Amino acid sequence: METTTLAVRTGGDERVVDLTARVEEALDDWGAAEGLLSVFVPHATAGVAVLETGAGSDEDLLRALRDVLPPEGPQGQGWRHAHGSPGHGRDHVLPALVSPSLVLPVLDGRPALGTWQSVCLVDTNRDNADRTVRLSFVRG
């Protein structure tokens, strides 16, 4: 198995970060052909997803997450997990909706993504601007 970590700086805002080019670079470095790639974010307040970016879908996702996980808490009642900045409790619920891991098939050295799909880090946590993403590749 090949494995590496990516350092990702997300800043102090909610953000969707496209990792696709960095994933492809890692596969190139490993001389990958066919196999499975695991993408994992070892944080309690972030997730990874496959989605379209750059056409508004990334902002739509963040808006939908604000609707489902409002900063003021369910029904405006606050969050029981209350440390950190206001609304931080929602960040700890995020990985139940946006998984902290995913597995992609790799064909001909590339992730087998659809035409408009990208591998993305989803981070709503304004308290932690530095993230780690672990890539692990198992050859087929």
Side-chain angles (χ1 to χ4, degrees):
M1 179 174 80
E2 306 284 350
T3 190
T4 192
T5 58
L6 306 176
V8 181
R9 181 135 179 96
T10 57
D13 296 318
E14 297 178 339
R15 190 157 311 212
V16 174
V17 179
D18 188 341
L19 302 173
T20 309
R22 293 180 73 185
V23 165
E24 290 174 345
E25 182 180 312
L27 292 169
D28 286 343
D29 290 347
W30 295 325
E34 274 76 33
L36 294 174
L37 177 69
S38 168
V39 182
F40 174 68
V41 57
H43 297 282
T45 58
V48 289
V50 174
L51 69 144
E52 178 181 7
T53 61
S57 297
D58 38 357
E59 285 301 318
D60 288 342
L61 172 61
L62 293 174
R63 189 175 66 218
L65 289 171
R66 282 190 295 275
D67 288 346
V68 172
L69 301 172
E72 64 278 2
Q75 301 172 343
Q77 300 294 313
W79 292 97
R80 289 183 188 196
H81 187 106
H83 79 274
S85 64
H88 178 63
R90 73 187 284 263
D91 301 326
H92 285 276
V93 178
L94 174 76
L97 301 176
V98 180
S99 177
S101 67
L102 57 87
V103 176
L104 298 169
V106 174
L107 303 172
D108 295 323
R110 292 286 173 259
L113 296 168
T115 302
W116 303 110
Q117 291 181 318
S118 296
V119 180
C120 298
L121 171 67
V122 180
D123 187 3
T124 60
N125 183 356
R126 295 176 290 135
D127 293 340
N128 185 355
D130 296 305
R131 298 305 190 154
T132 299
V133 178
R134 175 164 297 281
L135 304 178
S136 300
F137 177 68
V138 177
R139 295 179 191 278

